[in-house]
Amino acid sequence: MKKIILTVLAAGMTTVSFCQKSFILSHQDKRGFFAVSAGGSLPVGQFASSSPDEKGAGMARRGVAFSLSGGVRLVGPVGLMVRAEQHRNGVQAQSLLIDGFSNGTVDAGNWSTTTFMGGPYVHLPIGRFSINTRLMAGQAQATMPTTSLTAPATETGTSVETSGSKSTALALGGGLAVQYRLGRCISLQLAGDYIQSRFSFSGLTSTTWTNTGRAQSSYFTGDRTVGAVSATAGIVILFGDCYRPF
């Protein structure tokens, strides 16, 4: 009987010790992270403007955003991180139907904006939760979509196509992420980020087809300010113990 009691006590103490160790490790602060997220992209400012008369209007609509990021804390809660993000936004096609094309059709591609940025971040742990804030700067590449307008034969019988183009520019941004710790090395993340870049798209042309022939404009340049807010959710992999309790 005595051996049975001692065995039960030993098993209980081992279980308690294991649970305590798991609890401590699941709350232990980590130095670095890798994160993968996906969600929605909301264009703002001129990028979202649907007025064809506004110079620089992007006529972008809501789309999707994907991001990869990683960072390491260097001094206390402050660290450095890098982040790659892509936004894909469609075009508000109906806003392109101007006089002479009111009953026509529109064919338009998507805006595609990819950013590669780095900068400082601050990590604030609150129990199983943590908050990361960051300021970022880097490079952005954007693709302006090709658009095509075709008017019915009962109107002008005209088709107009404006070519697309690619451009790179300085990218600025910032954001905030809230993480919830699931275990030793995994967290769930909800994040919101803002990016802005000013692009100059060169080599653009406008081609018109009518019943009498085809006419193409000379090359021209179009400036666009791309601004977008992303709201994403994803998984975070944590690494690098801040201290070793065992």
Side-chain angles (χ1 to χ4, degrees):
M1 186 65 181
K2 185 177 180 180
K3 290 183 178 180
I4 295 176
I5 294 175
L6 290 175
T7 301
V8 171
L9 289 175
M13 292 176 65
T14 301
T15 301
V16 171
S17 177
F18 177 80
C19 292
Q20 186 180 36
K21 180 178 179 180
S22 296
F23 177 82
I24 293 173
L25 290 176
S26 66
H27 286 72
Q28 184 187 14
D29 208 5
K30 299 288 186 177
R31 287 190 179 277
F33 72 92
F34 293 111
V36 179
S37 299
S41 171
L42 178 66
V44 296
Q46 282 187 318
F47 190 45
S49 175
S50 60
S51 173
D53 297 325
E54 181 179 343
K55 185 177 181 180
M59 299 184 187
R61 56 183 173 83
R62 293 180 182 178
V64 295
F66 308 91
S67 70
L68 295 172
S69 60
V72 177
R73 287 161 56 192
L74 302 176
V75 180
V78 180
L80 292 176
M81 66 174 290
V82 292
R83 192 166 190 269
E85 185 175 47
Q86 184 178 61
H87 292 250
R88 294 183 64 84
N89 303 88
V91 175
Q92 301 178 45
Q94 295 304 311
S95 300
L96 296 171
L97 296 176
I98 56 178
D99 294 341
F101 294 88
S102 57
N103 295 318
T105 57
V106 179
D107 184 17
N110 295 313
W111 281 97
S112 177
T113 308
T114 304
T115 60
F116 299 94
M117 296 190 288
Y121 78 99
V122 177
H123 174 82
L124 303 173
I126 309 173
R128 282 189 175 271
F129 288 92
S130 62
I131 298 174
N132 287 357
T133 60
R134 57 259 192 153
L135 291 175
M136 312 289 288
Q139 187 180 64
Q141 182 182 73
T143 300
M144 175 187 285
T146 297
T147 59
S148 177
L149 307 178
T150 302
T154 54
E155 293 189 19
T156 63
T158 301
S159 296
V160 178
E161 180 179 289
T162 301
S163 66
S165 180
K166 291 184 178 181
S167 178
T168 58
L170 172 68
L172 300 174
L176 180 146
V178 178
Q179 299 175 0
Y180 178 74
R181 190 82 168 265
L182 295 179
R184 288 191 193 183
C185 301
I186 298 179
S187 293
L188 296 180
Q189 174 177 274
L190 295 176
D193 287 87
Y194 172 74
I195 61 166
Q196 179 173 305
S197 294
R198 177 70 173 176
F199 296 96
S200 182
F201 296 95
S202 60
L204 301 175
T205 61
S206 180
T207 306
T208 303
W209 288 268
T210 64
N211 296 331
T212 59
R214 170 181 177 274
Q216 179 174 304
S217 70
S218 57
Y219 292 107
F220 61 94
T221 299
D223 294 331
R224 297 289 187 277
T225 298
V226 173
V229 175
S230 62
T232 59
I235 296 177
V236 181
I237 305 299
L238 306 171
F239 66 88
D241 296 335
C242 285
Y243 55 90
R244 294 185 178 275
F246 303 103

